[in-house]
Amino acid sequence: MEKMEKVKVVVDTNIFISALINPNGIPGKILDLIFEGKIISYTSISILKEIGFKCLSPKLRKYLGNEKRVLKILSAFSSVSIIINPKTNFNICRDEDDNKFINVAYETKSILITGDKDLISLRDENRCLKLDDVYLKILTPKEFIEEFESIS
């Protein structure tokens, strides 16, 4: 991660949900960095739809609070994120739904932050996934915060 330019990230749905459940945890810290403009968040309409769908599901509602709160945070997140429509469409994840995160991260040359074991399993010993000539860094929230704090 370079010190000169802001770090670019794509956050997986599980990071967003974890941040809502525990705003004081590491995923909450990542969302705070996005809201404070200290890192740049990239996303897509399909990612935002998945986050909304999962956050508003009856299963998660009991942990996330009322619908108004969830929609307010999701709206704020989408307003501070750069929404793109990736032209590249990889099909490399065991769970096909996860490809959308790879596509956005690849297109924007961003770090993918995830707790998803399927996505984490794609990386090499350097925590990267090589796609064409791009090395895509895939980090857990803890790994991201450790790297981010070491450069800031």
Side-chain angles (χ1 to χ4, degrees), residues 6-64:
K6 282 190 185 169
V7 175
K8 300 182 295 187
V9 302
V10 174
V11 295
D12 190 357
T13 304
N14 59 54
I15 305 305
F16 193 88
I17 291 169
S18 296
L20 290 181
I21 292 172
N22 179 10
N24 299 318
I26 292 175
K29 195 184 267 193
I30 292 168
L31 272 197
D32 288 345
L33 291 170
I34 291 168
F35 285 124
E36 293 162 7
K38 294 181 178 168
I39 57 179
I40 299 169
S41 167
Y42 283 91
T43 193
S44 68
I45 296 298
S46 61
I47 291 172
L48 292 171
K49 280 182 180 172
E50 178 179 293
I51 292 171
F53 179 77
K54 290 200 175 167
C55 287
L56 296 173
S57 73
K59 188 172 114 182
L60 283 176
R61 287 277 293 287
K62 61 184 171 201
Y63 302 107
L64 301 181

Side-chain angles (χ1 to χ4, degrees), residues 56-75:
L56 296 173
S57 73
K59 188 172 114 182
L60 283 176
R61 287 277 293 287
K62 61 184 171 201
Y63 302 107
L64 301 181
N66 68 33
E67 190 173 316
K68 227 179 196 172
R69 172 184 178 257
V70 172
L71 290 173
K72 189 175 170 185
I73 295 169
L74 183 57
S75 173

Side-chain angles (χ1 to χ4, degrees), residues 74-113:
L74 183 57
S75 173
F77 176 73
S78 56
S79 71
V80 297
S81 296
I82 298 169
I83 301 170
I84 69 150
N85 184 14
K87 292 159 196 61
T88 316
N89 192 9
F90 290 100
N91 189 12
I92 57 173
C93 299
R94 187 184 66 77
D95 179 353
E96 286 183 21
D97 267 357
D98 291 338
N99 287 311
K100 63 179 157 284
F101 301 101
I102 297 284
N103 296 337
V104 173
Y106 173 84
E107 196 105 352
T108 60
K109 296 182 177 39
S110 298
I111 297 167
L112 175 54
I113 307 173

